[in-house]
Structure formats: structure tokens, C-alpha cells
Amino acid sequence: MKSYKIAVIPGDGSGPEMVREGVKVLKVAAARFAFSLDFTTFPFGGDYYLEKGEVLPYGAIETLRQFDAIFLGAIGHPEVRPGILEKGILLRMRFELDQYINLRPVKLFPGIDTPIKDKEPADIDFVVVRENTEGLYAGSGGFLRRGTPHEVAVQESINTRFGVERCLRYAFRYCRDRGKMNKLTLCGKTNVLTYAFDLWERAFHELGAEFPEVERDYAHVDAICMWMVKNPEQFDVIVTDNMFGDIITDLGAMIQGGMGIAASGNINPEGTSMFEPIGGSAPRYAGRNMINPLASICAGGMMLGHLGEKEAASALERAVMDLCATKIKSLAAGRMGYSTSEVGNLVADYLCGR
Ligand code: IPM
Ligand code: MN
């Protein structure tokens, strides 16, 4: 029997509740599809930082590297200054474990409300491949004369040919293997960011020659925002840089029904990947058994697919889709018609055919 070592980081706010339901469903999927998951929980997050005075203990990243995958809840604590936990945990994992792809499916499930009038599940089903280790997130830049009237702040976008190419290659392959429309859209801003996206655009067309079966399409990021609302059905796979990918996937999450369902994978195809809901820690709902755990459950499904348990991954997605169509009333916290743990139970029961 195949066995996978999973590091679990429940994190802050509602993260632990969401992860608890995710793990519940993963265990059932493992039993049903005959593989085993060996979970180890790590306490990292805001409370750990406030108590210990350090974000991650020495060697934590090396420990995490030993796992087959990481299952994360949410990072972000109201008593910790913004940036400390995000940079110290989330971005550190993405960077040091070289999870250079952030994969974010935007898929409207039947029975889910989208704020876009007259659009149906058939219209909203695309995937964003976001570069996850470079761009404005690389931390390049600095201050000059900070706090004075003459201060200067510089924040640079780093785009390496190596980093851009490996992201584009992943996107071309992903698009080809997905086999839906065979259309890859580069999301950029070639009319203003004439250095960064010049590199992206040249690499896109040069690499694209290796994938004649994939149609190449380009749109500026602002236009993409417009079309994601107006004609989302025109998208199949979108590839973009770190910052634009961050922004357009929040819009993506909204058109697929909200943060209650949006999941993502931080992928290192050759190493340890991390799976998490797109939404934050929602501290307002913490401990109230109200938050929707489907984003975490779907992140678990993405993790299973990534580990090679494709059958289990699609059964899990079918379970969620069917329950959204039949039982779960809304994706909003408190309006689902069920509590957090009941939603987890519904999916778990469905998976074991109860
Ligand atoms: C996301 C989040 C993170 C990001 C933050 C929390 C650092 O918004 O995963 O989209 O900007 O990537
Ligand atoms: Mn974001």
C-alpha cells in the first residue's frame, strides 16, 4: 500500500477548523482508495510566534522538506504586524521549498451562486498558473532616508529567464494535458512594463514553438479583469507573474462563489508542494464552527491529485460538486445550512458511500 507523509500546519484563526475537516475527508479518501496518509502536525502561526518570539524554529524548513506534501490552513494573526507571518512562514516555504508554481483553479460548481449574471458552470472553468517565487515578491528593493520628508522606497520586480521559462513550461504542459480548449493566455502588461513583460512575452512565444498544439493568446492584466467578469468562458489556462496572479485569483475566487471554495497548490514538481485555501485566516469566525471548510477540502483533493491519487482526487471533487448541487445552501460562513464540522461529515459520508 502506498503511503504518504503529510505535514499539517493548521495555522491561525479559522485555519485549524478548516484543516480539521480537510484531514477528516483525506482520511476517508485514503481508506476508500487504499493508500495511507501519515500526518504530522506543526504548530506554526501567530500564537507560536507570540509565545516563542520566532516565526519558525531553526531547521523547520529542512524538516518540512522531508515530507511528501504540506497541508496548510491559514496564516495571519490580528496581533501580529502584517508581513511578519506571511513572509516568515508562507513566503519562506514557497521560496525555500522552491514551489515555483501557484496553481489556482477557477471553477464554478453546479448549485453555487456566482455574482456574474447569466453565467453557469460551463462558462467558468479555467486555471491560473501563477509564478510563485519571483516578481515583486522577491523582496528586492529598499528604503533611502526612511521616515524623512526625502524618503524613497524602491520595490523591484525580479523576472529571471530561468524562473519565467520554468513557469511557462509548466503552464504549456498543464494546458496541453488538461485538453480542454488548448489555449494558454499570457496575462501581462506589455504596454507599460516593457522590460519584465518583454522577457515574458519573448519566452512565451519561443517556448510555445515546442507546444504547437497549444494556442497562444495574450491579454493585459486590466483587460483580463474585465473579461473574467464579462466573458469568463474564453479562458482555459492563464499564466502570469506573481503579483498579477495574486490579484486576478482573488477575482477568480469571487466569480467561482467566494473564498469558501477557492483552493490552491504551491507546487514544486520536483520537491515538496504545499496545498492551502486561497482565503485568509478569517479570525472573526475562529472557533465558531461556522466557516466553510470546502476550500480546505478541495485543497486536500488537489494534494491527492498531485501525489498521484487521481481517482481519489476526482471522487473528492465529485463529492463536493454533488453536495453543492444538492445540499449545501451557500458557501458563505453561517449560511451553508450546516456547521463547519457537518460539511466535513457530509463530504466524508458521501465519499464512503453513506
Ligand atoms: C495568497 C495570499 C498571499 C500572497 C499573502 C498572504 C502573502 O494573498 O496566497 O494569495 O500574496 O501570495
Ligand atoms: Mn492573495
Side-chain angles (χ1 to χ4, degrees):
M1 184 155 76
K2 275 213 168 149
S3 171
Y4 307 97
K5 282 164 50 192
I6 310 296
V8 180
I9 306 177
D12 300 317
S14 306
E17 287 161 74
M18 297 194 276
V19 156
R20 184 189 66 214
E21 302 312 313
V23 168
K24 181 191 280 178
V25 168
L26 285 168
K27 283 183 175 161
V28 169
R32 153 119 192 253
F33 291 93
F35 55 90
S36 95
L37 295 170
D38 175 10
F39 295 102
T40 307
T41 302
F42 294 88
F44 311 141
D47 290 329
Y48 181 94
Y49 169 70
L50 292 172
E51 188 192 323
K52 309 266 181 185
E54 62 178 2
V55 180
L56 287 181
Y58 181 77
I61 297 287
E62 288 323 302
T63 304
L64 292 170
R65 203 188 293 280
Q66 310 307 315
F67 286 82
D68 293 309
I70 302 166
F71 191 53
L72 176 83
I75 296 293
H77 194 293
E79 284 151 49
V80 180
R81 188 158 49 84
I84 294 182
L85 301 171
E86 293 85 341
K87 279 190 165 176
I89 303 180
L90 194 61
L91 298 183
R92 232 186 117 191
M93 283 197 284
R94 289 179 183 171
F95 284 36
E96 291 188 31
L97 298 174
D98 208 18
Q99 295 161 344
Y100 60 87
I101 297 297
N102 195 323
L103 194 63
R104 302 191 156 187
V106 178
K107 184 167 175 172
L108 177 65
F109 288 166
I112 299 301
D113 274 342
T114 173
I116 307 187
K117 194 162 141 276
D118 298 335
K119 295 294 175 191
E120 299 169 11
D123 301 315
I124 302 177
D125 180 9
F126 60 93
V127 177
V128 178
V129 175
R130 163 185 176 190
E131 200 292 322
N132 212 30
T133 56
E134 300 192 342
L136 281 167
Y137 281 67
S140 176
F143 283 112
L144 189 60
R145 300 189 289 258
R146 182 172 182 272
T148 75
H150 302 279
E151 70 180 335
V152 179
V154 177
Q155 193 105 42
E156 293 154 325
S157 175
I158 306 297
N159 299 264
T160 70
R161 181 76 191 207
F162 162 77
V164 168
E165 265 191 23
R166 66 180 179 172
C167 173
L168 289 170
R169 178 163 293 165
Y170 183 94
F172 274 112
R173 288 192 179 139
Y174 187 91
C175 183
R176 178 194 64 197
D177 298 345
R178 172 173 152 91
K180 197 190 169 216
M181 292 157 72
N182 278 344
K183 174 175 161 187
L184 180 62
T185 303
L186 173 64
C187 163
K189 189 73 188 174
T190 51
N191 52 349
V192 176
L193 306 181
T194 49
Y195 313 128
F197 282 99
D198 180 73
L199 188 157
W200 273 86
E201 198 178 33
R202 279 182 289 113
F204 182 61
H205 292 297
E206 283 166 34
L207 212 70
E210 291 174 32
F211 298 88
E213 64 278 53
V214 177
E215 180 198 338
R216 273 169 268 153
D217 174 43
Y218 172 84
H220 297 319
V221 61
D222 46 353
I224 291 235
C225 289
M226 175 179 78
W227 281 319
M228 274 172 69
V229 174
K230 196 167 178 283
N231 303 111
E233 65 278 4
Q234 71 176 280
F235 296 118
D236 179 10
V237 179
I238 299 176
V239 61
T240 191
D241 83 345
N242 210 340
M243 187 80 257
F244 291 166
D246 177 49
I247 298 168
I248 67 170
T249 53
D250 265 31
L251 176 54
M254 287 303 121
I255 68 171
Q256 74 180 115
M259 288 299 180
I261 189 94
S264 72
N266 298 268
I267 293 174
N268 175 342
E270 297 88 34
T272 304
S273 301
M274 185 234 307
F275 297 84
E276 55 170 341
I278 291 188
S281 57
R284 216 151 53 92
Y285 293 111
R288 296 167 68 182
N289 204 21
M290 274 171 78
I291 192 105
N292 190 333
L294 286 176
S296 178
I297 291 171
C298 290
M302 287 182 78
M303 181 173 82
L304 294 182
H306 176 79
L307 291 169
E309 298 296 336
K310 308 269 184 231
E311 227 192 314
S314 40
L316 197 156
E317 189 182 81
R318 271 198 313 277
V320 172
M321 279 172 85
D322 205 38
L323 290 166
C324 286
T326 55
K327 296 202 162 153
I328 295 165
K329 292 204 188 75
S330 155
L331 295 177
R335 273 185 266 142
M336 305 181 286
Y338 299 93
S339 66
T340 307
S341 47
E342 283 169 344
V343 171
N345 292 345
L346 280 177
V347 183
D349 287 350
Y350 189 104
L351 268 182
C352 25
R354 274 195 296 251

